Amino acid sequence: MKDIVLSGIRPTGNLHLGNYYGAVRSFVKMQNEMNCYFFIADWHSLTTHPTPENIQQSARTILAEYLACGLDPDKATIYIQSDVPETIELYLYFNMNTYIGELGRVTTFKEKARQQPDNVNAGLFTYPTLMAADILQHRAKWVPVGKDQEQNMEMARKCARRFNNIYKTEFFPEPQNFYFGGEAVKVPGLDGSGKMGKSDGNCIYLYEDEKVVRKKVMRAVTDNGPQAPNSEKPEVIQNLFTLMHIVSDEETYKYFDEKWNDCTLRYGDMKKQLAEDMVRTLNPIRERIEEYKGNTELLDRIARQGAEKARESASTTLREVRKIIGFKVY
Ligand code: ADP
Ligand code: TRP
């Protein structure tokens, strides 16, 4: 049996280069080797955005972007969280065995509670048990997540462990954080900060057109230029080189690296080249995003097919769970 992998993303923004090179490109490889579930966590987004403008459209957008990156609905199960009602039942059982003390200690809860003091809702508080249900309804073994999700993963393991202890079973595996191998890279931001993330000046989105991409790259933060031969690169400049390493070929990288080393590098030239290579990389992805987004029927069909597969797996788990606790099984 292939290992089960699950990853979720909240539909609160578009995919950017960081998501692509840091995660989605690895998903594309993983779908060939493992039993993968990729889903869009639209229920979770209600914890912070209670009145979404067009939640179905946002979910479809991420779906289109996932598909454009190469996720394949015939290889992986790609679905939207709210299409799988079984999740809620498992969420309820986990909530019964999770204590308010431990939920209150979760850092992301405390942060969000500070950010939205007028809306410290029970959904936000129980975010980790919904996430545990997402994962454990498929009895997933691996979850690729970033550092900020470690506490949520610890809670998911607790839900699995506690269920097993209380009901004297070994039904749930303890899901583990999955760390990508060498191929996933940390993508630096354009504003000189460490990491590309969802903020405009720092980030290049996969859907953005050529003109915007070029403009953003040309505006990337730099400094006064190399001061002495062969000197170490300050972070802002290293970031440009790292981006170049990601999207350009090795020769191009070497050419500019040598120019840095002999102090003849002009950032304008380097950025022009970087923009060129970025556009070349992104163009086919953007074109596919547009194609998918224009075909709502296809997206809905793919989502339906994903939901069917996800519900099949979740309902098998839920049947067992009901049996274990002692409820009627249909
Ligand atoms: P953001 O940080 O923009 O909010 P998310 O938290 O939605 O992005 O990211 C989802 C996943 O994408 C992360 O778990 C991580 O694997 C990957 N990711 C995001 N930003 C980067 C980045 N700059 N470099 C590498 N991977 C990233
Ligand atoms: N909490 C995750 C995030 O903010 C999204 C998410 C929801 C998730 N459920 C999940 C991730 C289950 C992995 C597994 O990025």
Side-chain angles (χ1 to χ4, degrees), residues 157-212:
R157 281 189 282 276
K158 232 181 231 177
C159 284
R161 218 161 30 227
R162 200 166 285 154
F163 184 93
N164 291 347
N165 283 338
I166 290 180
Y167 300 108
K168 304 203 172 21
T169 167
E170 287 175 9
F171 184 64
F172 284 120
E174 285 185 31
Q176 305 299 319
N177 302 23
F178 184 91
Y179 297 103
F180 298 116
E183 82 264 17
V185 285
K186 186 177 128 189
V187 180
L190 298 172
D191 60 0
S193 75
K195 190 174 160 239
M196 184 174 286
K198 292 184 186 79
S199 79
D200 249 7
N202 173 33
C203 171
I204 289 179
Y205 293 99
L206 301 184
Y207 74 84
E208 278 174 331
D209 73 26
E210 256 182 59
K211 252 168 69 193
V212 178

Side-chain angles (χ1 to χ4, degrees), residues 43 84-93 95 130 133 137 318:
W43 274 331
V84 183
E86 285 77 5
T87 318
I88 316 175
E89 187 176 343
L90 192 56
Y91 169 54
L92 178 136
Y93 298 137
N95 278 337
L130 181 55
Q137 66 183 338
L318 261 299

Side-chain angles (χ1 to χ4, degrees), residues 6-8 10 39 41 44 127 131 134-135 143 145 149 152:
L6 173 132
S7 169
R10 275 171 298 137
F39 78 100
H44 268 118
Y127 188 115
M131 180 157 159
D134 291 329
I135 299 166
V143 182
V145 283
Q149 297 296 312
N152 285 339

Side-chain angles (χ1 to χ4, degrees), residues 2 5 23 29 36-37 39 41 56 84 115 127 199 228 272 274-275 277 307 309:
K2 287 183 187 170
V5 183
K29 285 196 186 146
C36 292
Y37 291 84
F39 78 100
Q56 294 186 44
V84 183
Q115 286 165 12
Y127 188 115
S199 79
K272 232 183 228 156
L274 181 59
D277 292 330
K309 283 203 277 176

